[in-house]
Amino acid sequence: MNADSIVFAPHLPWIALYAACALAVLLIVLAIWRGLAGWWLRALAAVALLVALANPSLQQEERNPLSDIVLVVVDESSSQALSDRADQTEAALGRVLAQIAAMPNTEARVAVVGDGEGDEGTRAMAALSEALAEEPRARVAGAILISDGRVHDMERTPDLPAPLHLLMTGHSTDWDRRLVIQNAPAFGILGEEVNLTLMIEDQGDVPSGAGAGATVPLSIAIDGEEPRTYDVPVGEELSLPVTLSHGGKNVIQFITPAAEGELTDRNNAAVVQINGVRDRLRVLLVSGEPHPGERTWRNLLKSDSSVDLVHFTILRPPEKQDGVPVSELSLIAFPTRELFIEKIDEFDLIIFDRYKRRGILPTLYLDNIRDYVERGGAVLVAAGPDFASADSIYRSPLGDIMPASPSARVLEDGYLPEVTELGEKHPVTEGLEALYPSEEEGVPGWGRWFRLVDLIPTPGENGGQVVMSGLEDRPLLVLQRHGEGRVALMASDHAWLWSRGFEGGGPQLELLRRLAHWMMKEPDLEEESLTAEAVGQEMTITRRTLGDAPSEVEVIGPDGSVYVVPLEEVSPGLYQGVFEGPDLGLYRLAEGDKTAVVALGPSAPKEFEQTIATGEVVQVAVDARRGGVVALEEGTPGIREVREGRVASGRGWVGITPRGAYVTADVTVIPLVNPLLFLVLAALLTLGAWLIEGRRGAKGA
């Protein structure tokens, strides 16, 4: 294909040439006004001069035509796998490609888009932008999107130079039910109600008997426990009060069963993760007498802003009779009835520090403390020599819950507290030796203690767990679960030596902090636990146990698929494994009698939040480019060529705009004037005008 055109290569800048034209016109008008007979020769001379300066040439181009390109974006995201949409997409793509191939000088470019990273949804416009960037804009004749219309990046719609069309999958009879969490707090205070707001919503062509006004079952399960089921209305906002039972992550799962005929049940479940926090931890510290270690406990508990500490030190026991009148004493009376009868359940932890029976707490009160532990309370006994005496609190109703009994011996000799083999696995004492490393292998780097109450661990199921030992491997720290509560017994009152830095000190603050928080049932300090932390679609599974090493964890995916994840020991009693979840949603974990749940992304990914096919999402972009939305259930439309600027869609057809693009193979430029010849011609014409005007002037004279 050849094309001819006139081009100019002026010897002067165009602005100078325009100025010369204006000057020539002005001079010719002046000559006419003065009545000069040679004005027309002057005009011809000016034209010749201007043509010479403009330097026109004939440009001949040899052009090779380029084909028009139609961009076809195929949506293969998760929502396109619902119903028969995948078959509709495959059939439509085949017919579109066949029609484009049959059109002269036209070809197709196909881009496939799947699920976005994480939970970004369908990134169809990003795929269209990338496809457009790879092709010359002058060749793009149109773009066709084969999708259900659920596009999640419309803000990235490119500036197309041609029509955009949507060939929409799905059916007008489709309907779906989904469960929506409208409001859920990230944190909640233990023991106080938090309100969740949710709604069950039907979308699309809802069959009779469903939709607003109908009731459906809703199952609610907390931390993977047995769910409870309630009948709730469809289409109404529900406010659900929830009381968190434990600290840390509380996973609440809501499920409504799949209804017959709905598109998918992937959005029939929702998961809420709420971190349970304690408003205030209430601790009662009872010191039997003043001693150097008393301040250690007080400093520990007062340093934590989340702890409300009630501390009593018995300075004047009942048996002390020195004749001082009661009216002259400034000591505060010990409110035993109020603390141990009326308000005992308000405390999270009771600490007896070197306390012995002196008649201050009657047997009735000690019975109540024992019942408090069985109901879920916690008691910590920091024993001194008093624990081995006849007045020991072991020889009271509290003896029933003690994890060890005193032998009546108190050893006064220096020793290094050591973590037992069991203690290396227990979260209260694991890793303590690493905080104070020693140059001598197997020996901790902390200082010595000098007192130890000899204990005999309680045998059988009620026996405690010895996590630290002292002189000659005798029990030093014994932990025990009793009923719903917990009991700890420390067989020495010399922890304060570490806080004073004796012989380098020791990790007394970390040990006592862990001990107190374990007794208050902090989830991170549970010795038998199965947890998982998710980052993206990767979960790290952690199994902590004091027993035999677990070999693997069973993971059940949101679609019911079962996976087995091997575990490796990362430290004594701590095992971990990594699992890459193939889908977003809720996963259930099980190992032995331990279960857990974890959500990868939302329980219903963005692809399943809205599943009914629609053209409304892309309608604005399609209209702006004169395209159309065609439902594939009505058949694949024909493809026509339409002129640029015309409406490009109609009943049963969509249009593309031929671009007529080409590539220039060869260019020939032929000068149309000889500048020197035209300059001579301009001079001759000017001379002729002068001669004519000169003769007329002579005749007039």
Side-chain angles (χ1 to χ4, degrees):
M1 179 177 69
N2 295 325
D4 298 337
S5 59
I6 302 295
V7 296
F8 295 88
H11 296 291
L12 295 176
W14 279 107
I15 189 170
L17 197 58
Y18 294 148
C21 289
L23 180 61
V25 171
L26 180 62
L27 292 175
I28 292 170
V29 171
L30 181 61
I32 295 174
W33 179 70
R34 294 184 59 191
L36 298 179
W39 68 266
W40 58 277
L41 290 174
R42 293 176 184 272
L44 290 177
V47 171
L49 180 61
L50 292 173
V51 169
L53 292 175
N55 191 24
S57 301
L58 176 65
Q59 179 175 287
Q60 295 179 332
E61 295 184 3
E62 183 179 343
R63 299 176 177 177
N64 294 333
L66 296 176
S67 60
D68 292 327
I69 295 176
V70 179
L71 303 177
V72 182
V73 179
V74 182
D75 181 2
E76 292 187 356
S77 59
S78 298
S79 62
Q80 279 285 85
L82 301 177
S83 185
D84 62 343
R85 293 179 185 178
D87 296 334
Q88 285 182 304
T89 300
E90 183 180 0
L93 177 62
R95 296 190 184 100
V96 167
L97 295 181
Q99 291 186 68
I100 293 174
M103 300 177 73
N105 201 39
T106 306
E107 55 183 310
R109 297 284 191 273
V110 178
V112 177
V113 57
D115 294 337
E117 295 183 3
D119 190 33
E120 294 182 342
T122 303
R123 314 297 290 176
M125 293 300 106
L128 180 58
S129 298
E130 293 173 3
L132 181 63
E134 294 177 359
E135 306 296 340
R137 291 177 61 87
R139 296 180 61 188
V140 177
I144 298 175
L145 171 62
I146 305 177
S147 170
D148 56 9
R150 293 297 179 180
V151 178
H152 302 103
D153 64 341
M154 292 305 300
E155 72 282 355
R156 296 193 58 181
T157 303
D159 182 18
L160 276 171
L164 170 64
H165 306 286
L166 170 65
L167 305 189
M168 189 176 66
T169 59
H171 299 278
S172 59
T173 57
D174 288 342
W175 79 283
D176 192 31
R177 173 172 292 161
R178 67 171 186 152
L179 194 155
V180 186
I181 301 295
Q182 297 178 318
N183 178 54
F187 297 89
I189 298 176
L190 296 183
E192 295 186 8
E193 286 187 352
V194 294
N195 285 314
L196 308 179
T197 306
L198 56 88
M199 183 171 67
I200 298 175
E201 180 182 54
D202 286 345
Q203 302 173 324
D205 187 19
V206 182
S208 59
T215 59
V216 296
L218 175 66
S219 298
I220 305 174
I222 300 178
D223 292 330
E225 296 179 354
E226 191 69 24
R228 296 183 179 181
T229 303
Y230 308 90
D231 287 333
V232 299
V234 175
E236 295 184 16
E237 187 176 280
L238 305 174
S239 181
L240 180 68
V242 175
T243 302
L244 303 182
S245 60
H246 63 81
K249 185 183 298 182
N250 291 258
V251 181
I252 307 174
Q253 183 182 16
F254 304 92
I255 300 177
T256 184
E260 183 179 356
E262 69 168 316
L263 281 176
T264 179
D265 61 355
R266 285 291 300 275
N267 52 10
N268 288 32
V271 175
V272 174
Q273 299 184 87
I274 305 176
N275 283 323
V277 295
R278 297 180 186 270
D279 181 22
R280 306 288 288 178
L281 300 174
R282 301 205 64 194
V283 179
L284 173 61
L285 172 60
V286 181
S287 298
E289 61 185 29
H291 70 100
E294 178 184 11
R295 185 167 294 277
T296 298
W297 284 108
R298 183 177 179 84
N299 290 344
L300 165 70
L301 298 169
K302 292 294 287 185
S303 65
D304 191 339
S305 60
S306 65
V307 173
D308 278 341
L309 176 64
V310 178
H311 183 196
F312 283 92
T313 301
I314 301 173
L315 300 176
R316 185 181 177 86
E319 69 270 13
K320 185 175 183 179
Q321 301 294 333
D322 53 10
V324 179
V326 176
S327 60
E328 296 182 12
L329 294 175
S330 60
L331 302 180
I332 300 173
F334 194 3
T336 53
R337 178 175 179 80
E338 180 181 3
L339 293 177
F340 296 105
I341 296 294
E342 299 173 2
K343 296 184 177 181
I344 188 170
D345 288 326
E346 295 181 7
F347 291 101
D348 298 293
L349 172 63
I350 298 175
I351 302 176
F352 287 103
D353 176 32
R354 289 193 60 169
Y355 179 84
K356 62 181 177 180
R357 294 184 299 123
R358 290 177 167 177
I360 296 176
L361 296 180
T363 301
L364 175 64
Y365 292 0
L366 297 176
D367 277 333
N368 202 33
I369 295 173
R370 180 190 59 197
D371 296 340
Y372 155 80
V373 171
E374 292 178 348
R375 293 193 303 268
V379 168
L380 167 60
V381 176
D386 49 84
F387 193 75
S389 68
D391 295 329
S392 170
I393 60 172
Y394 179 81
R395 309 185 194 286
S396 73
L398 292 183
D400 297 340
I401 61 173
M402 288 292 117
S405 59
S407 68
R409 295 180 60 195
V410 178
L411 307 174
E412 303 276 357
D413 198 1
Y415 64 92
L416 280 176
E418 294 184 356
V419 177
T420 64
E421 183 177 352
L422 179 64
E424 291 178 351
K425 299 180 179 181
H426 202 287
V428 170
T429 49
E430 68 160 342
L432 283 180
E433 294 174 333
L435 299 177
Y436 277 76
S438 172
E439 296 180 359
E440 184 178 351
E441 186 176 356
V443 178
W446 49 61
R448 292 176 297 166
W449 293 2
F450 291 89
R451 180 180 291 149
L452 181 69
V453 178
D454 188 32
L455 297 178
I456 302 172
T458 303
E461 295 182 358
N462 294 327
Q465 299 168 334
V466 180
V467 296
M468 292 188 73
S469 61
L471 191 64
E472 298 177 356
D473 292 331
R474 286 180 168 86
L476 174 60
L477 178 59
V478 189
L479 308 179
Q480 173 181 279
R481 294 171 181 261
H482 188 87
E484 298 295 324
R486 303 184 183 191
V487 181
L489 175 59
M490 181 174 287
S492 177
D493 58 348
H494 277 192
W496 62 273
L497 291 173
W498 280 356
S499 65
R500 298 288 180 87
F502 177 76
E503 293 185 348
Q508 90 293 336
L509 183 63
E510 181 65 15
L511 172 61
L512 300 183
R513 184 194 66 81
R514 290 188 195 178
L515 181 58
H517 283 269
W518 174 80
M519 300 199 69
M520 290 184 284
K521 303 178 182 179
E522 288 298 315
D524 292 341
L525 291 169
E526 290 295 312
E527 61 270 37
E528 294 290 339
S529 63
L530 175 64
T531 59
E533 293 292 334
V535 177
Q537 289 188 234
E538 181 180 275
M539 70 174 75
T540 300
I541 303 171
T542 302
R543 175 71 167 100
R544 183 188 292 277
T545 180
L546 302 182
D548 297 334
S551 58
E552 57 193 25
V553 171
E554 184 180 83
V555 179
I556 303 175
D559 60 351
S561 301
V562 179
Y563 309 90
V564 175
V565 181
L567 299 178
E568 296 182 0
E569 187 174 19
V570 295
S571 64
L574 191 66
Y575 304 84
Q576 288 185 340
V578 177
F579 175 67
E580 186 78 20
D583 299 307
L584 299 179
L586 187 73
Y587 288 77
R588 300 177 65 88
L589 288 66
E591 195 285 317
D593 61 347
K594 294 295 178 182
T595 60
V597 292
V598 62
L600 297 186
S603 52
K606 186 174 289 187
E607 282 294 321
F608 296 100
E609 286 182 0
Q610 302 277 352
T611 57
I612 304 300
T614 180
E616 294 179 0
V617 177
V618 301
Q619 191 69 57
V620 173
V622 167
D623 291 343
R625 290 155 185 83
R626 306 176 310 283
V629 176
V630 180
L632 287 176
E633 68 176 337
E634 299 175 359
T636 304
I639 301 177
R640 302 179 185 177
E641 292 184 352
V642 297
R643 286 183 296 178
E644 189 171 354
R646 300 290 297 273
V647 175
S649 67
R651 182 180 295 274
W653 65 273
V654 295
I656 61 174
T657 302
R659 302 306 303 276
Y662 61 88
V663 61
T664 302
D666 189 25
V667 177
T668 303
V669 179
I670 303 173
L672 295 179
V673 298
N674 186 322
L676 182 59
L677 179 60
F678 268 64
L679 289 175
V680 172
L681 178 60
L684 291 176
L685 290 172
T686 303
L687 179 60
W690 178 73
L691 290 175
I692 291 175
E693 293 167 358
R695 287 176 187 161
R696 289 196 176 184
K699 289 180 181 181

